[in-house]
Amino acid sequence: MATRAAPQQFDPETYTGSNPKVYIVRGMERFRKAKVQESISDFDRALQLSPALGPYLWQRGLSLYYADRFAEGAAQFRLDVSVNPNDTEEAIWAFACEARTLGFQEARKRLLKVGQDTRPYMRTAYSLFQGSTSEQDLAMVGQTDDRSHFYANLYLGLYAECREEVDLARHYIGLAVGSKYCATGDYMCSLARVHQKVRGW
């Protein structure tokens, strides 16, 4: 009697097939490990296989930011907001990309208009980048709970980076990484750690 061959185990690290979802998941895992360039390759492959995914690959935009490919990152985030006009975070990340290429004031002029976010810390973060509230206001909102504390400090750090205030950015990102919420599996918690690693902090 012929013996059946043992089924091959699926290994996402060596995957070369045509399922875009596998590349997105692998790209996210690679980004979490600060393998930024590799993550972009995976997101680009997913996009090549399924161009319709373009407006939904916000993860690609984040990777592009940390690869210093700011113009491409801004284009990705602007495309994302075009199909989700209530996405506060992607509007802010488009701002961050454009601040690095066009300057802080020009980025503020170009800040995408979005609907009102249901999360108080994101509403306040957006207002900060817009110029209608202060860093102190966002820090105060961050005292509400662990999640708010993390996000307030993450976006205070990004805001400081946009203003080229390196020491302040390092301080706030450090607070975000050290927050209790950063022990969760939130992708943005991984991003805060990647931020530190890429910047050499």
Side-chain angles (χ1 to χ4, degrees):
M1 181 181 292
T3 57
R4 291 183 179 179
Q8 290 186 338
Q9 286 191 327
F10 174 72
D11 182 4
E13 276 300 312
T14 59
Y15 184 76
T16 57
S18 58
N19 186 339
K21 291 182 180 178
V22 176
Y23 291 102
I24 293 172
V25 171
R26 188 172 72 186
M28 292 175 72
E29 285 306 308
R30 286 178 168 174
F31 179 80
R32 287 179 185 272
K33 297 174 182 176
K35 296 180 178 180
V36 175
Q37 297 294 345
E38 292 92 331
S39 73
I40 294 171
S41 295
D42 280 332
F43 297 139
D44 284 351
R45 179 58 177 151
L47 189 58
Q48 182 183 40
L49 289 167
S50 181
L53 289 171
Y56 308 100
L57 277 177
W58 53 269
Q59 303 95 327
R60 178 175 179 270
L62 296 173
S63 291
L64 289 168
Y65 179 82
Y66 289 103
D68 293 345
R69 291 166 59 178
F70 302 117
E72 293 171 84
Q76 176 69 61
F77 290 122
R78 284 184 170 274
L79 179 62
D80 296 350
V81 174
S82 72
V83 297
N84 185 5
N86 294 319
D87 199 316
T88 304
E89 289 191 80
E90 295 187 28
I92 288 174
W93 282 97
F95 179 115
C97 288
E98 290 172 348
R100 301 295 291 271
T101 55
L102 305 174
F104 183 86
Q105 293 302 330
E106 184 61 28
R108 175 165 278 174
K109 291 177 186 176
R110 293 167 57 90
L111 178 62
L112 291 162
K113 290 180 171 57
V114 294
Q116 189 175 51
D117 201 299
T118 58
R119 300 165 294 177
Y121 54 85
M122 286 313 308
R123 285 201 305 273
T124 310
Y126 181 83
S127 295
L128 175 63
F129 282 81
Q130 189 180 46
S132 58
T133 194
S134 70
E135 292 155 281
Q136 290 74 21
D137 291 330
L138 181 53
M140 187 172 295
V141 172
Q143 296 175 15
T144 308
D145 53 46
D146 291 342
R147 184 186 179 98
S148 299
H149 178 75
F150 167 77
Y151 275 98
N153 283 295
L154 173 65
Y155 284 107
L156 282 166
L158 186 64
Y159 182 76
E161 183 162 279
C162 290
R163 291 168 59 89
E164 299 182 354
E165 298 171 338
V166 178
D167 290 340
L168 199 56
R170 182 189 297 115
H171 168 72
Y172 283 126
I173 296 297
L175 289 177
V177 170
S179 70
K180 291 180 181 179
Y181 183 77
C182 214
T184 71
D186 191 321
Y187 194 70
M188 299 305 283
C189 294
S190 296
L191 176 140
R193 297 187 189 97
V194 170
H195 195 118
Q196 285 185 320
K197 187 165 186 177
V198 170
R199 300 291 181 257
W201 298 344

